[in-house]
Amino acid sequence: MAGPTFKDLEHEGWQNRAAHYDDWFGQISSQAFPFVLDAAGSDLSGLDTLDICCGPGHLVALLAERGAHASGLDFAGEMIRVALAQHPEQDFDQGDAEDLPYENARFDLVSCCFGLLHFHDPDNAIAEAFRVLRHGGRYIVTAWQGPEEAAGLVSVMMEAIQDFGTLDLPLPPAPPLPRFGKPDETHRSLAAQGFMDIETQVLPITWRPDRPEAVLDMIEHGMVRTTMMMAHQEDAARDAIRAAIVERVQAFDTGDGLKIPVPALMAVARKPD
Ligand SMILES: C[S@@+](CC[C@H](N)C(=O)[O-])C[C@H]1O[C@@H](n2cnc3c(N)ncnc32)[C@H](O)[C@@H]1O
């Protein structure tokens, strides 16, 4: 019998992290929301918006505060349960970003924050976002930048795994993690699905944990793919990776505590009229 797919493992990982998402990864990812809202505009009255990979639904609620008929979609039922508990007045659907349960041209604005790197086929997910947008509608996506773009949380984790463990792991095939942190690649991928007027911006997100070891807790409680990569290392390699992460993040001690860069790329694009 075939083993779990990448999507199966992602789904299980997010189901398990939903209840405490805001305590961990949400502290970092939510820093992108003011930039997304600026790009969306201050008055969204009467617009239909969809936040794909909505997690606990906070961006949906913020879009609704600006007047949008805002809805969110996530494939993890536990995330939808948390979103409905926190924002009972908003609409949330459980569904797959790669096969959206909406008719063509239904939305004026579609966002997807830190979702693309979790998809089995991100190009298909971009095509689905394009399909459900009306002509002239806008698409806003954010993704983490990798080691080639910037030093920070992602580069420390990836380089520690490369230096002390291996990336050649018995995991189902998955797209490269930092792909959509690269402006040129993001531009090319959005244009390939028909988007125009594509603009990208680096978001200067930082994380201020109270101690270096908190990075290991963040990985365990907040990150699905990195947890998979750690779980499949040999025991000695995993110990060495963990020690290297704790040591290397101390380079981001400002004297006033840790300030770890977690830069992200935001892309804003438009479906042609
Ligand atoms: C890193 S979280 C981002 C949540 C939120 N957008 C934020 O910025 O805090 C990724 C989210 O994507 C969801 N997700 C991953 N793959 C998905 C898919 N194929 N379809 C729908 N949701 C998916 C997960 O359940 C999780 O809630």
Side-chain angles (χ1 to χ4, degrees):
M1 202 177 74
T5 63
F6 175 64
K7 188 173 290 188
D8 293 335
L9 295 175
E10 281 276 332
H11 184 263
E12 184 188 354
W14 291 115
Q15 285 283 90
N16 292 337
R17 283 167 182 77
H20 298 289
Y21 184 81
D22 284 334
D23 300 331
W24 293 99
F25 211 70
Q27 293 176 33
I28 302 177
S29 65
S30 60
Q31 294 178 47
F33 298 165
F35 297 96
V36 174
L37 291 167
D38 274 358
S42 54
D43 182 6
L44 305 178
S45 303
L47 297 189
D48 285 313
T49 65
L50 173 67
D51 186 38
I52 296 172
C53 293
C54 64
H58 305 316
L59 181 59
V60 175
L62 292 167
L63 290 162
E65 279 177 15
R66 296 188 169 205
H69 299 136
S71 49
L73 171 132
D74 202 286
F75 75 166
E78 283 302 304
M79 283 291 188
I80 296 295
R81 195 183 58 72
V82 173
L84 281 168
Q86 300 212 28
H87 306 291
E89 67 287 1
Q90 309 305 335
D91 290 332
F92 295 101
D93 293 318
Q94 188 175 353
D96 187 350
E98 296 182 57
D99 184 16
L100 292 172
Y102 307 110
E103 71 267 26
N104 295 351
R106 155 95 184 264
F107 297 100
D108 301 286
L109 178 80
V110 170
S111 52
C112 181
C113 288
F114 309 114
L116 286 175
L117 65 157
H118 300 294
F119 302 152
H120 165 73
D121 183 352
D123 298 294
N124 182 38
I126 296 169
E128 275 293 89
F130 187 88
R131 180 183 68 74
V132 303
L133 268 172
R134 71 161 170 79
H135 290 283
R138 283 172 306 149
Y139 184 42
I140 305 176
V141 289
T142 63
W144 305 114
Q145 293 205 294
E148 285 175 29
E149 276 65 48
L153 183 62
V154 176
S155 68
V156 165
M157 293 184 312
M158 296 291 89
E159 287 165 4
I161 293 175
Q162 266 166 344
D163 292 350
F164 295 97
T166 176
L167 293 171
D168 184 18
L169 296 164
L171 285 167
L177 211 143
R179 175 177 164 190
F180 293 99
K182 299 177 191 298
D184 289 352
E185 173 61 8
T186 301
H187 197 288
R188 190 200 62 72
S189 304
L190 296 180
Q193 301 306 329
F195 283 105
M196 61 185 291
D197 297 342
I198 302 160
E199 289 181 7
T200 58
Q201 177 187 347
V202 176
L203 310 184
I205 294 173
T206 56
W207 181 44
R208 305 211 62 169
D210 57 3
R211 62 210 149 83
E213 293 78 12
V215 178
L216 304 178
D217 297 329
M218 174 64 84
I219 293 172
E220 185 185 338
H221 299 296
M223 298 182 185
V224 170
R225 181 122 50 124
T226 313
T227 300
M228 286 184 215
M229 290 160 73
M230 295 287 272
H232 283 80
Q233 305 292 333
E234 302 278 340
D235 288 348
R238 190 181 318 107
D239 290 345
I241 293 167
R242 288 165 61 90
I245 289 173
V246 169
E247 186 197 318
R248 291 177 182 184
V249 291
Q250 294 178 46
F252 302 109
D253 194 333
T254 59
D256 179 31
L258 290 166
K259 191 172 179 188
I260 307 176
V262 204
L265 190 77
M266 178 172 75
V268 183
R270 195 167 66 81
K271 180 168 173 172
D273 292 330

